[in-house]
Amino acid sequence: MTTYTVEIPEDSAVFGKTTSAFSSFGYSAAVRSHGQLFIAGTIGRRADGTIAETVEEQTEIAIRRIEEILRLENLDLTALIDVTSYHVDIRENMSGFLEAKQRLIKAPYPAWTIIGVSGLASPGLLVEIRAIATYPDTASR
């Protein structure tokens, strides 16, 4: 099986100093395999390492991080085929999440699963988003 790990540059304006989490926690931001890109859960942590206060901002940051990973692979958000988002206080935060999501994600829409959870990796995190994208058939990888 051939796989390729997507490396986030240390000088990434989107990820900033948070790129250290990949080596600290021993995971890849994304892995390409068999024509698909598997993107690890992204969160609403700003490039300076602070956590955004609102679910809207956290959602936007998480989606922008996914968008940056896609850009590094010459893809965009329309390449997404399957997305799962995890939500703390799902009922309280859903409207803010949907506002940001609807502003950033346009048709064709990916399949999307929304799951409520009791907590995420750090206090203050309200949403985490993982995704799978596909490469165009002409660029079979």
Side-chain angles (χ1 to χ4, degrees), residues 49-107:
T50 61
I51 296 173
E53 292 81 24
T54 68
V55 71
E56 293 91 340
E57 187 180 0
Q58 286 190 29
T59 301
E60 181 168 344
I61 291 168
I63 291 173
R64 294 289 182 211
R65 286 173 170 237
I66 290 170
E67 187 174 45
E68 176 65 5
I69 292 167
L70 292 168
R71 184 193 67 76
L72 291 169
E73 288 293 296
N74 297 311
L75 298 170
D76 60 32
L77 292 170
T78 63
L80 294 175
I81 57 172
D82 185 39
V83 179
T84 302
S85 53
Y86 303 90
H87 304 261
V88 175
D89 298 324
I90 192 167
R91 287 179 179 81
E92 180 180 324
N93 292 312
M94 187 54 60
S95 64
F97 166 78
L98 289 174
E99 285 178 31
K101 177 184 176 284
Q102 290 167 349
R103 190 173 63 252
L104 298 169
I105 304 295
K106 305 296 180 198

Side-chain angles (χ1 to χ4, degrees), residues 4 6 8 10 15 27 35 37 39 46 58 76-77 79 81 111 114 117 119 122 131 136:
Y4 167 80
V6 177
I8 307 297
E10 289 187 23
F15 283 85
Y27 74 101
L37 184 65
I39 302 170
R46 297 181 187 105
Q58 286 190 29
D76 60 32
L77 292 170
I81 57 172
I114 296 173
V117 296
S122 294

Side-chain angles (χ1 to χ4, degrees), residues 27-49:
Y27 74 101
S28 300
V31 175
R32 179 175 69 209
S33 181
H34 300 285
Q36 294 184 325
L37 184 65
F38 300 86
I39 302 170
T42 62
I43 56 173
R45 194 177 293 276
R46 297 181 187 105
D48 67 3

